[in-house]
Amino acid sequence: MTEHIDALLTLGSNIEPERHMPAAVRALRRSPRIVVQRVSPLYWTPPVGTGDDRPFLNGAARITTTMGIRELRDELRRIEEACGRVRSDDKYAPRTIDIDIAYYGDLVLDEGGITVPDPGVAEHAHLAVPLADIAPEWVDPKNGLTIRDLVLKLPAVEREFHIMTAQPLIPLETGGRYAVELEAVGDEVYSPRYESLVRSMLLEIGEDPDREGLARTPLRVAKAMDFLTSGYTTTLEEVVNEAIFEEAFEEMVVVKDIEFYSMCEHHMLPFFGRAAVGYLPDGKIIGLSKIARIVDLFARRLQVQERLTNQIADALVDVLGPHGVAVVMEGSHFCMMMRGVQKQSSSMVTSAMRGTFNENARSRSEFMEHIKD
């Protein structure tokens, strides 16, 4: 079984930080082997050791990962590069984003360009304070002190400066690949660029985005879209999570009436309905809830129903290697119900048959009999 390691990361930016810090956090969320558990408030701090007078925006993230420490370091550098980071020999040079590993489990390491725990946590408030926000009881394995204790050992004036200048530009609580709390929380900003786009859209249609009913709508839309499109940043391996079991069961397995909600890629309007999934095991079965989660994995993307049906069938073939898979979906599409021909009672049925279900009419007929209303 793959080991999951808890780790703490520090983040900093002084080149367009309001754009690059949220972008870096979203990139962390979307990395297939990183789960972001929590993100700290962000803190403005003066530059250290550089003639550049642009202030830094600093924060921290608590993650769980299946990557080794060197793999994680390489992934963080990939994210930095994607955010426009250009590395130089000057460690104080301005940067779009800097992501460092402050703690990696209880590992103590100082080799190959990787040092954990980061010694700067005991010396600098811009590292220690955000880390204390998300993991105050985390024990530094080198000195036995909690991060809260390390903050208390810092000079009071520096500590108070950082606390007083907290800027909660990223939600305090985030989880998995999308927002846990879908409503607006306090004065949070979830995704500045996306919220700005929604605000522009409201202006475009003639609305007042500052009126009471719409004031927090850009935030809610950003959170909702992150949830509704979470299938892009979740993998089949994550969903299945090793819930495959050896079992000498050879009869048909059918799960029906699985609700699904998706969005049509042509108009970005919802379509929804029910799915029925069946398979003929070949020595392996899958946890019951995982079938519904596989449906959600592909439904939470911009889709067409035909592709969605095929993706679900192919995913089950990939993870189970069964004798056959059958998927039937019936959906109602708002792009046909609310606009265009406006046929409210219409629905669409799609099917995908693999293996025995495609080759054997009796197996296919049995499946169809099982899913009848």
Side-chain angles (χ1 to χ4, degrees), residues 174-194:
T174 59
R177 294 293 181 267
Y178 48 82
V180 172
E181 176 55 66
L182 293 178
E183 286 303 311
V185 178
D187 296 325
E188 70 170 308
V189 176
Y190 183 73
S191 175
R193 184 169 181 271
Y194 197 99

Side-chain angles (χ1 to χ4, degrees), residues 109-170:
L109 179 70
D110 189 2
E111 61 178 57
I114 303 175
T115 299
V116 291
D118 186 335
V121 177
E123 302 169 3
H124 301 296
H126 71 272
L127 299 178
V129 171
L131 289 169
D133 285 326
I134 57 174
E137 302 303 326
W138 188 293
V139 176
D140 188 307
K142 290 194 75 171
N143 56 39
L145 296 176
T146 66
I147 298 177
R148 178 189 286 127
D149 290 336
L150 292 175
V151 170
L152 293 175
K153 286 172 68 68
L154 294 168
V157 62
E158 184 181 6
R159 189 170 70 244
E160 289 172 4
F161 169 79
H162 284 77
I163 291 172
M164 291 174 64
T165 56
Q167 304 291 317
L169 299 180
I170 296 176

Side-chain angles (χ1 to χ4, degrees), residues 40 69 71 130 133 139 145 174 176 204 235 304 313 321 327 338 350 368:
S40 76
I69 190 168
E71 286 182 284
D133 285 326
V139 176
L145 296 176
T174 59
E204 189 69 23
T235 66
V304 295
V327 179
M338 290 179 65
T350 51
M368 299 303 291

Side-chain angles (χ1 to χ4, degrees), residues 213-263:
L214 293 177
R216 306 310 304 279
T217 293
L219 169 66
R220 295 187 186 97
V221 172
K223 285 187 167 188
M225 287 300 293
D226 204 8
F227 176 82
L228 294 172
T229 60
S230 59
Y232 287 117
T233 55
T234 307
T235 66
L236 181 60
E237 291 73 21
E238 279 182 299
V239 167
V240 174
N241 194 25
E242 300 181 357
I244 305 293
F245 309 101
E246 301 288 338
E247 187 65 45
F249 184 81
E250 298 182 354
E251 301 303 318
M252 191 179 299
V253 178
V254 177
V255 184
K256 63 180 184 177
D257 292 329
I258 303 169
E259 295 178 1
F260 72 88
Y261 301 89
S262 190
M263 287 198 300

Side-chain angles (χ1 to χ4, degrees), residues 63-136:
I63 69 168
T64 300
T65 182
T66 57
M67 287 186 276
I69 190 168
R70 288 175 177 79
E71 286 182 284
L72 178 59
R73 190 271 310 270
D74 291 345
E75 175 68 359
L76 298 181
R77 289 193 172 175
R78 183 194 67 78
I79 291 172
E80 289 177 338
E81 290 175 5
C83 290
R85 171 74 185 272
V86 177
R87 291 190 165 271
S88 70
D89 293 334
D90 180 3
K91 69 176 182 178
Y92 297 117
R95 71 287 309 267
T96 57
I97 194 66
D98 184 29
I99 312 175
D100 291 317
I101 305 169
Y103 293 92
Y104 180 86
D106 57 2
L107 180 67
V108 176
L109 179 70
D110 189 2
E111 61 178 57
I114 303 175
T115 299
V116 291
D118 186 335
V121 177
E123 302 169 3
H124 301 296
H126 71 272
L127 299 178
V129 171
L131 289 169
D133 285 326
I134 57 174

